[in-house]
């Protein structure tokens, strides 16, 4: 299927392994990605915090660009992008007067946002568009014996009503469902639905690192081999900052943190090196070792 | 009628025992409330179950508890909905089995010391923070003889924060407060907005400055949305915090020492200049000032030094490309110009435009039943 | 030992307003509440507060509406005071910060309300009580140096000196069960009505008649106890309140046959007739078989534009959704009359003084009387604030010339014994079972329509329940937040109030205001234009006496809407 693809800023900046692994995994999932390279940053909630109309206009522009590609829906690979965009979309869709006003801002480029764009994070797309059964059928290296702790990232699970989470779409269980579909073991721990601390890294660094340290520590105590996150900003606070988080928490951590496409890639038969795992600050040694003990295509 | 297994968290400080789960099976309708269930236990079985409650209609704010992990009011949470949560929390997809038990774990709210059973010490946390934000109107002078003239929509707008029933559900699950107990917190900050958004109050700037400069104040909120989900009255505390930030930064230009407004401004400026976030610049500018020279300020230097254990491996492993780190990555020039035009158009406005769906509401709703319906349906 | 010029028991609107007024006179003030002040049931008041603030309106018009609404049982001197002082009180609230909604010109907005000849109800969406209560609490924070708050303390006994003067109270700290003597030159009861004696009721679980019963037990006169207001629009299932504000905004009532039946009963004011008229109309429709199977009639809020409903009636949208599964912006909701308010209470003068020296009462606990036989909507919020203020001022001023009384600390041991005795009982009926039976009984025999036989039966049952309550057992024997033992004490209060209500209803052999006797269907001014007073008589049936109604400007007329 063809989707309009918003890769976000950080996947092309400080977490290039995310962008790279997504590009490798897409064809294996029969996903044709039409990259929205004309679009700009969603604001990550920070621009909305600064000026709501500005954030709404920037995102309306992105939505309009997506609508122009003629694809069925837009996809992102970042919880924060999802949340920031959903917030703007909620306002734009709710009130036609406001939408018209924002579209006026876009008029000089000849762009206009029409109500009702479907914007899904990769995680939702996997379950809702591709389907777990199809996903299972593509697994070449089942994640058997790999204990994976999910970490969602606040922006993709709250507020519930804005993110379409309900009984028909238990989107706050998708990570667990995907891990199991790929053959892995889900590790439940206190931090699954908590905050990585990234939003306050400059305002209260201690608290931010304490949060990251605590959740990583809790996952370690629950015997996880790694965490998996659908958000590169979370990845920054959990992986890039892990040495500092360890210092703040006063304990050794060293727990690898994978991007969702990397976990997918492993299960679909790709090698850790191709998925950019060597670029992580916390070397995913345990994961790499596990993967070499299970050669893709050969039953475990 | 379905049967529910209520597991109530009990704790009696006089017993010397640790907290424990007290289990009761009761038959109740799905649409009855968790409080109905607890009161049935209290009335008919064990009168020592401690829970604050009064109005039973979500207005007094007494019965805040955690039900299957989520905070809320016991009186307006249906048993059926609460029970489903437990099943959802443990299931990995698929419908619930017919025979599966309907379990509801009821615990006291978090972030506050437990006095007994489901009763927490709100004075120690919730009310303490409330008092912190000067929780009364400081009259704008001169006080008119009759009423202040205030636009209709303005009053409806602050009714959103006035509607807070002080139940503590937001405080219970605030993730910033969990890590930093000194954080002023969502309830108190929403209360602060009730004054900052009220044109009859004289102290807008002072309030904002005070909250912005506090280490555990306005910028300590980690943006996790827990409070918005927790609130039973649609106060949306985090949204009020963001409105306070907009007023503090954009309207009053308060340059706080917590890097909050600098962080916001830097982020915004970087996106304007590059179309994308230039991560390497974000940290130094937040600490040192919103310009390319920000990184040379002492504050920025200090934090860069502190961050070496993260920066060094990142560079060594090739995660961070030196070129990208210095030059950033941009979108195409034509698009960048268009984006910059957008920025200028919006930022040049005299008054910020802000949409509050609580006030404005959503349009295009289907015709209600029972009202005089149009005799002809409209063809699309 | 806490000693204050003014001790206020109850921190709802009346209590908090009294505290602020007393503090303003320079008096030292203590305010006690068995729940945190913002949990007081004033918080549930929804629709608004009346005042003739509009220059085109007059306080005389407001007063007349109130007198007529009271079915001429209200004391007109008190009513005049309340209506005359109302406009200033609204402005006081506005300046304190109450977030009153505005009209198009930015001035205070009004909505229409029951029994009013002009739109004079000032409001905050449909959370007016909540807004005022929270703003008053903000003021208590502001003046916390002058006003000592004792939150989650329960007053167990009123104290008297050898002359019978009230000199304070014994209070129990709910957190640890500690009992404490509170000395006070004056004591103001502001602890509300007795709705929990009925089942269902719109009142919260804490409204158990504590003040009425405690005053009664030390000899204070109660007045007009038979006047119980049944609110026209309470949910059929659980009796929760749907504000009159809905009708004020244009909602209409229909029976199961689709008839807008108020046209028959009140052709002019229709749904905005006084509450007793509307409740009787609904009950008649229901009794005569034109109600729905669930026992109610329909309130149609879809008549109000949706956006206005969301703006001004948001709370009832939530109530409809959460407690009845109905979206009131799309379909009618089923309601029926439900117990809501007690016009009667502790008899006071216009400064809140009861018949016991040193003891005041203000708010629903009191009967001045400004509501007489029936209270107009949005007059209760006004009543609490006007007479709360007046009591506080009066008590505060008197304090200057008084010496502080003192009760020995050892006095608490009597109360300790009583409570221990209560805790140690075995083998009796459960408190909640007695309470349920009381509530169902009152709702059956002392509701909208009453008669001699029913009331006699009711009285017998109440007396039997009083006996059972003497041995009622509880489970909790601890001291940390023991709500069980408080429940047992409250049961006793509710039973005392219930008996007074029934005695009053038996005594008044006419129909007036909310008292509707099918065996005495008309209003009989010649014999019954007087208050029925009730006083304690040991453990026996309370004594009945009478007091005159004060008439100033408005002679009783026929009352139609």
């Amino acid at each position: 299927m063809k989707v309009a693809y918003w890769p976000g800023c950080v996947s092309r900046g400080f977490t290039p392994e995310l962008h790279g692994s997504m590009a490798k995994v897409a064809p294996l999932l029969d996903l044709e990605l039409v990259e929205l390279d004309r679009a700009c940053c969603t604001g990550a909630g920070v621009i909305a915090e600064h000026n709501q109309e500005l954030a709404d206009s920037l995102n309306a522009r992105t939505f309009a660009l997506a609508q122009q590609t003629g694809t069925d829906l837009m996809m992102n690979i970042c919880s924060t992008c999802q949340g920031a965009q959903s917030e703007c979309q909620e306002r734009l869709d709710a009130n036609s007067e406001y939408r018209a006003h924002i579209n006026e801002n876009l008029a000089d480029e000849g762009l206009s946002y029409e109500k009702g764009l479907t914007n899904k994070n990769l995680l939702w797309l996997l379950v809702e568009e591709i389907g777990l059964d199809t996903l299972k059928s593509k697994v070449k290296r089942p994640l058997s014996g790999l204990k994976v702790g999910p970490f969602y990232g606040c922006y993709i699970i709250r507020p519930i009503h804005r993110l379409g989470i309900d009984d028909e779409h238990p989107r706050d269980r998708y990570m667990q469902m995907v891990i199991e579909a790929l053959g892995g073991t889900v590790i439940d721990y206190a931090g699954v639905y908590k905050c990585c601390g990234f939003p306050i890294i400059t305002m209260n660094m201690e608290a931010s690192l304490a949060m990251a340290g605590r959740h990583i520590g809790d996952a370690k105590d629950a015997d996880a081999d790694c965490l998996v996150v659908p958000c590169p900003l979370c990845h920054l606070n959990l992986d890039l900052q892990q040495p500092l988080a360890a210092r703040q928490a006063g304990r050794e951590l060293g727990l690898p943190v994978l991007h969702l496409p990397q976990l997918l890639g492993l299960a679909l038969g790709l090698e850790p090196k191709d998925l950019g795992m060597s670029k992580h600050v916390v070397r995913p040694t345990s994961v790499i070792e596990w993967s070499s003990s299970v050669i893709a295509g050969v039953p475990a | 009628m379905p049967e529910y297994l209520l597991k109530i968290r009990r704790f009696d400080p006089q017993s010397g025992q640790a907290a424990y789960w007290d289990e009761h099976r009761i038959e109740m309708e799905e649409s009855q409330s968790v409080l109905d269930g607890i009161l049935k236990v209290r009335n008919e079985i064990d009168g020592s179950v401690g829970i604050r409650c009064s109005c039973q209609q979500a207005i007094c704010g007494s019965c805040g508890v955690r039900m299957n992990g989520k905070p809320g009011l016991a009186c307006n949470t249906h048993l059926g909905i609460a029970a489903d949560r437990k099943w959802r929390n443990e299931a990995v997809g698929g419908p619930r089995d017919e025979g599966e038990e309907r379990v509801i774990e009821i615990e006291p709210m978090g972030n506050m010391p437990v006095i007994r059973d489901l009763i927490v010490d709100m004075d120690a946390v919730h009310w303490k923070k409330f008092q912190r934000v000067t929780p009364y109107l400081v009259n704008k002078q001169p006080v008119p003889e009759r009423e202040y003239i205030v636009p209709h929509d303005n009053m409806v707008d602050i009714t959103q924060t006035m509607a807070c029933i002080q139940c503590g559900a937001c405080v219970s699950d605030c993730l910033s407060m969990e890590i930093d107990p000194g954080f002023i917190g969502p309830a108190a900050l929403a209360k602060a907005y009730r004054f900052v958004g009220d044109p009859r109050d004289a102290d807008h700037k002072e309030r904002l400055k005070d909250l912005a400069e506090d280490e555990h104040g306005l910028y300590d909120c980690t943006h996790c949305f827990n409070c918005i989900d927790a609130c039973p009255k649609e106060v949306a505390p985090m949204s009020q915090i963001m409105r306070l930030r907009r007023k503090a930064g954009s309207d009053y230009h308060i340059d706080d020492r917590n890097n909050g407004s600098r962080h916001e401004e830097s982020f915004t400026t970087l996106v304007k200049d590059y179309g994308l976030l230039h991560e390497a610049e974000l940290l130094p500018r937040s600490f040192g000032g919103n310009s390319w020279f920000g990184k040379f300020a002492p504050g920025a230097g200090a934090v860069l030094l502190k961050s070496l254990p993260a920066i060094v491996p990142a560079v060594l492993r090739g995660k961070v490309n030196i070129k990208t780190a210095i030059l950033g990555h941009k979108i195409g020039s034509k698009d960048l110009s268009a984006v910059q035009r957008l920025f200028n158009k919006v930022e040049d406005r005299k008054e910020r435009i802000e949409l509050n769906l609580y006030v404005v509401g959503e349009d295009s709703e289907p015709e209600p039943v029972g009202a005089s319906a149009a005799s002809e349906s409209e063809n699309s | 030992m806490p000693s204050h010029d003014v001790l206020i028991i109850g921190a709802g609107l009346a209590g908090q307003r009294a505290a602020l007024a007393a503090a303003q006179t320079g008096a030292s003030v203590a305010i006690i509440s068995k729940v945190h002040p913002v949990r007081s049931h004033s918080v549930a008041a929804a629709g608004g507060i009346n005042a003739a603030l509009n220059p085109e309106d007059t306080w005389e018009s407001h007063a007349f509406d109130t007198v007529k609404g009271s079915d001429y049982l209200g004391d007109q001197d008190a009513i005049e005071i309340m209506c005359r002082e109302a406009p200033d009180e609204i402005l006081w609230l506005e300046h304190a910060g109450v977030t009153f909604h505005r009209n198009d010109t930015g001035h205070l907005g009004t909505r229409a309300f029951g029994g009013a000849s002009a739109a004079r109800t000032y409001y905050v969406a449909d959370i007016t009580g909540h807004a005022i209560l929270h703003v008053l609490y903000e003021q208590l924070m502001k003046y916390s140096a002058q006003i000592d708050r004792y939150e989650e303390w329960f007053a167990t006994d009123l104290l008297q000196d050898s002359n019978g003067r009230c000199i304070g109270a014994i209070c129990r700290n709910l957190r640890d069960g500690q009992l404490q003597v509170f000395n006070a030159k004056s004591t103001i009861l502001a602890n509300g009505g007795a709705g929990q004696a009925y089942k269902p009721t719109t009142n919260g679980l804490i409204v158990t008649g504590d003040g009425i019963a405690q005053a009664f037990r030390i000899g204070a006169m109660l007045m007009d106890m038979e006047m119980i207001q049944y609110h026209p629009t309470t949910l059929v299932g659980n009796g929760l309140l749907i504000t009159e504000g809905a009708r004020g905004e244009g909602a209409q009532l229909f029976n199961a046959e689709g008839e807008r039946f108020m046209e028959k009963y009140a052709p002019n004011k229709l749904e905005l007739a006084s509450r007793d008229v509307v409740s009787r109309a609904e009950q008649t429709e229901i009794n005569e078989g034109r109600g729905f199977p669930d026992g109610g009639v329909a309130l149609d809020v879809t008549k109000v534009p949706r956006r206005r409903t969301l703006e001004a009636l948001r709370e009832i949208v939530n109530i409809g959704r959460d407690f009845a599964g109905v979206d009131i912006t799309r379909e009618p909701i089923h309601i029926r009359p439900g117990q809501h308010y007690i016009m009667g209470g502790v008899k006071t003068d216009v400064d809140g003084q009861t018949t016991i020296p040193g003891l005041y009462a203000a708010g629903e606990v009191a009967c001045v009387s400004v509501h007489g036989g029936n209270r107009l909507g949005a007059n209760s919020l006004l009543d609490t604030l006007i007479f709360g203020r007046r009591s506080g001022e009066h008590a505060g001023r008197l304090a200057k010339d008084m010496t502080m009384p003192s009760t020995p600390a050892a006095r608490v041991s009597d109360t300790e014994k009583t409570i221990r005795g209560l805790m140690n009982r075995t083998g009796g009926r459960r408190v909640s079972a007695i309470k349920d039976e009381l509530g169902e009984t009152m709702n059956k025999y002392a509701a909208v329509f009453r008669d001699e036989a029913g009331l006699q039966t009711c009285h017998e049952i109440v007396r039997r329940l009083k006996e059972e309550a003497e041995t009622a057992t509880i489970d909790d024997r601890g001291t940390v937040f023991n709500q069980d033992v408080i429940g047992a004490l409250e049961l006793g209060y509710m039973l005392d109030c219930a008996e007074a209500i029934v005695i009053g209803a038996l005594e008044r052999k006419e129909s007036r205001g909310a008292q509707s006797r099918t065996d005495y269907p008309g209003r009989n001014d010649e014999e019954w234009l007087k208050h029925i007073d009730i006083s304690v008589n040991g453990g026996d049936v309370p004594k009945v006496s009478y007091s005159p109604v004060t008439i100033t400007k408005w002679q009783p007329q026929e009352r139609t809407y």
Side-chain angles (χ1 to χ4, degrees), chain C residues 349-428:
Chain C
D349 65 13
V350 299
D351 290 312
Q353 297 183 102
T354 68
T355 53
I356 301 278
L359 184 65
Y360 293 71
E364 193 176 346
V365 69
C367 184
V368 191
S369 161
V370 286
H371 307 303
N374 167 72
R375 171 174 78 71
L376 293 184
N379 261 0
S380 175
L381 292 186
L382 183 59
D383 167 21
T384 59
L385 294 165
I386 299 290
F387 294 101
R389 193 202 88 232
R390 290 177 69 92
S391 312
E393 272 168 10
H394 198 267
R397 266 185 274 119
L398 274 194
K400 292 187 175 46
D401 300 317
M402 290 170 66
T403 46
M404 183 66 69
S406 182
T407 299
R411 171 68 178 79
V412 303
S413 59
D414 291 340
T415 308
E416 262 164 16
K417 230 192 297 182
T418 309
I419 291 182
R420 247 203 318 275
L422 217 163
M423 285 199 212
N424 290 334
R425 291 181 197 159
T426 50

Side-chain angles (χ1 to χ4, degrees), chain A residues 170-219:
Chain A
R171 289 171 169 175
D172 52 348
R173 300 294 306 168
Y174 283 1
M175 291 273 270
Q176 288 91 331
M177 287 154 68
V178 166
I179 293 169
E180 283 206 0
L182 299 177
T185 307
V186 174
I187 294 294
D188 195 19
Y189 65 102
V192 176
Y193 297 103
K194 294 207 173 161
C195 184
C196 69
F198 183 85
I200 50 171
I201 189 67
T202 64
M203 290 97 99
N204 189 337
M205 193 173 267
E206 276 116 40
S208 174
L209 295 171
M211 281 186 207
R214 180 179 288 192
H215 305 322
I216 299 168
D218 284 343

Side-chain angles (χ1 to χ4, degrees), chain A residues 63-127:
Chain A
F63 299 153
L65 290 168
Q67 284 173 328
Q68 276 190 344
T69 62
T71 54
D72 290 323
L73 57 86
M74 188 167 121
M75 183 188 90
N76 62 75
I77 50 172
C78 172
S79 299
T80 306
C81 290
Q82 178 69 63
Q85 287 177 330
S86 292
E87 186 189 317
C88 294
Q89 193 175 10
E90 188 182 46
R91 280 190 289 270
L92 291 166
D93 283 356
N95 195 282
S96 48
E97 242 181 82
Y98 185 66
R99 190 165 63 248
H101 168 82
I102 298 291
N103 276 333
E104 255 173 53
N105 292 347
L106 306 179
D108 66 343
E109 269 190 293
L111 290 171
S112 176
Y113 164 64
E114 259 175 60
K115 172 177 166 167
L117 171 76
T118 307
N119 176 17
K120 293 194 184 186
N121 181 276
L122 170 65
L123 178 66
W124 300 352
L125 199 118
L126 281 172
V127 177

Side-chain angles (χ1 to χ4, degrees), chain B residues 13-14 39 42-62 75-76 78 115-116 119 121-123 127 130-131 135-137 139 143-153 155-156 158-159 162-167 191 194-195 198 200 233-234 358-360 362 365-366 368-372, chain C residues 36 38-39 41 43-44 53-55 91 94-108 123-125 127 130-131 134-135 137-139 141-142 149 151-152 175 196 202-206 240-241 300 302-303 306-308 311 314-315 318-319 321-323 329-332 430 432 475-476 478-484:
Chain B
Q14 293 179 299
L39 288 179
R42 184 160 93 170
N43 288 340
E44 295 175 18
I45 305 170
D46 179 0
S48 72
V49 174
I51 181 169
R52 290 189 176 113
C53 53
S54 178
C55 75
Q56 303 172 284
Q57 57 177 83
I59 190 70
C60 74
S62 303
C75 71
N76 78 346
H78 291 187
I115 297 178
R116 156 179 186 171
I119 300 173
D121 187 351
M122 287 186 70
D123 287 317
W127 293 112
F130 180 90
Q131 291 180 35
Y136 47 83
L137 192 76
N139 290 86
V143 177
E145 235 185 83
R146 285 184 47 124
E147 68 263 52
Y148 289 89
I149 308 298
V150 178
H152 168 90
D153 276 359
M155 262 326 172
V156 177
I158 56 172
T159 304
M162 197 68 229
C164 169
I165 57 178
Q166 308 293 344
C167 68
K191 193 62 164 179
R194 171 254 175 287
F195 298 106
D198 190 335
R200 305 170 300 172
K233 306 306 278 187
E234 296 173 81
Y358 185 90
V359 177
V360 171
E362 303 178 26
E365 290 292 335
V369 171
S372 43
Chain C
H36 189 282
V38 302
R39 318 292 180 212
H41 206 64
V43 80
L53 187 55
N54 192 328
L91 294 176
E94 156 72 4
H95 295 149
V98 174
T99 50
F100 284 117
H101 276 200
R102 276 17 196 194
N103 59 21
D104 294 325
T105 58
H107 292 86
L108 294 174
Y123 68 100
V124 179
I127 52 167
H130 164 121
H134 280 240
V135 170
Y137 191 67
E138 290 168 8
Q139 297 292 304
M141 304 257 107
K142 185 173 175 187
R149 297 191 313 277
E151 296 165 350
E152 293 182 323
R175 287 253 183 131
Q196 282 288 318
T202 65
N203 291 190
L205 296 166
I206 57 174
L240 294 182
L241 178 68
D300 190 354
T302 68
K303 302 289 181 201
R306 191 168 190 272
R307 184 163 161 185
R308 178 70 184 159
E311 178 184 288
R314 199 188 205 95
E315 191 55 32
N318 293 342
I319 291 178
R321 181 194 63 220
D322 291 339
F323 299 102
T329 65
R330 291 195 213 292
E331 45 173 332
R430 288 189 76 80
S432 61
D475 299 312
D476 193 348
T479 53
V480 174
F481 245 104
N482 187 332
Q483 300 173 309
D484 218 2

Side-chain angles (χ1 to χ4, degrees), chain C residues 254-259 261 264-265 281-293 296-298:
Chain C
F254 295 92
N255 62 22
E257 292 166 12
E259 231 192 307
F261 57 85
K264 290 187 291 195
Y265 300 91
E282 290 177 8
Q283 195 64 55
T284 305
E285 293 294 303
I286 293 168
N287 291 350
E288 291 178 4
R290 290 185 293 280
F292 292 94
V297 293

Side-chain angles (χ1 to χ4, degrees), chain A residues 14 17 38 41 48-50 53 61 94-96 108 155 158 160 172-173 202-204 280-281, chain B residues 88-89 91 220 223-224 226 229 245-246 250 258-259 263-264 275 279 317 319 335 341 349 360 363:
Chain A
F14 272 25
E17 67 275 7
R38 290 182 56 195
C41 177
E49 180 183 308
H50 181 77
E53 188 197 352
R61 180 176 180 275
N95 195 282
S96 48
D108 66 343
Y155 280 70
R158 292 184 287 265
I160 300 177
D172 52 348
R173 300 294 306 168
T202 64
M203 290 97 99
N204 189 337
H280 291 197
V281 163
Chain B
R88 282 258 319 275
N89 287 349
D220 205 8
H223 228 288
C224 77
N226 252 355
D229 264 355
R245 288 187 184 179
R246 276 194 287 279
S250 300
N258 299 309
N259 306 318
H263 175 86
E264 252 176 57
E279 299 100 311
R317 310 245 166 91
K319 170 187 254 285
D335 294 302
R341 278 198 306 277
R349 290 199 205 288
V360 171
D363 53 23

